[in-house]
Amino acid sequence: MSRPPVFPEQSASGIAVDPRTLERVVPESRRADGSVRKQLKIRPGYTPQEDVSRFRGVRQKTIDAAALPKGHILGWVAPSSEQQQQKAKLPPPNKNAKRRANQRAKKAAEKEAAIKDNWEDDDDNEESRDAVGDAHVVAEENKKSQSTEAGRKDTGHNKAEGGEDLAEELSKLNIK
């Protein structure tokens, strides 16, 4: 068992939890003249006025939670962010939230399966794609060679032949 802290955490009113008895108490303290104040027990359930927090609505709480702390540097991530991510991965607290989380997980798995199926279909049609790709490359090479020939000779005859060759190449392609 670990040892209790030397200076237990105190609330704003000075109430702390006694590590030996686990009761809420105001610990002993020294007066200016050197005498000692006795330890005071606090009855269970009592909250002094100093410890009562100011009422904050739901919207105000969300704004406060999203606000950056004073002196925060944009883009800097605290080392404790890993712990926060682990907390976010904890299961939802109630039954309906668990059910919704399971449904989201199923949908995500279905999407991944659909994507993988599409990839497998693509692998099956590699041969037809290679043929289409080769024909496309040949058509582009023909265009380049024809444009250079057309640049050298500005005759309408060469341009017409290039158009017919291109039409033949395009007709060979099986585009789905």
Side-chain angles (χ1 to χ4, degrees), residues 91-135:
N94 63 19
K95 187 171 114 179
N96 289 332
K98 288 178 186 177
R99 185 175 46 84
R100 286 191 305 269
N102 289 338
Q103 288 175 348
R104 277 188 238 116
K106 277 185 182 179
K107 285 183 181 179
E110 288 174 4
K111 285 182 182 179
E112 287 179 19
I115 291 172
K116 287 181 183 178
D117 290 342
N118 289 339
W119 287 345
E120 290 171 2
D121 293 341
D122 291 343
D123 293 340
D124 295 340
N125 297 330
E126 273 184 30
E127 294 172 3
S128 63
R129 281 195 178 177
D130 289 341
V132 171
D134 291 341

Side-chain angles (χ1 to χ4, degrees), residues 23-53:
E23 292 179 340
R24 295 175 58 214
V25 295
V26 176
E28 295 179 340
S29 61
R30 280 208 186 269
R31 295 187 182 102
D33 64 353
S35 60
V36 178
R37 290 185 187 95
K38 291 185 355 183
Q39 179 175 332
L40 300 173
K41 291 183 181 178
I42 307 296
R43 70 176 183 265
Y46 174 73
T47 305
Q49 190 64 37
E50 301 94 48
D51 290 345
V52 176
S53 62

Side-chain angles (χ1 to χ4, degrees), residues 1 7 12-14 18 36 47 66 74 81 84 89 91 101 116 123 131 144 147-148 156 158-159 170:
M1 187 171 153
F7 299 105
S13 62
D18 184 15
V36 178
T47 305
L74 292 176
S81 64
Q84 293 172 354
K89 292 180 183 178
K116 287 181 183 178
D123 293 340
K144 288 180 184 177
S147 64
T148 55
N158 289 339
K159 289 181 184 176
L170 290 174

Side-chain angles (χ1 to χ4, degrees), residues 68 72-76:
L68 295 174
H72 179 75
I73 300 169
L74 292 176
W76 181 73

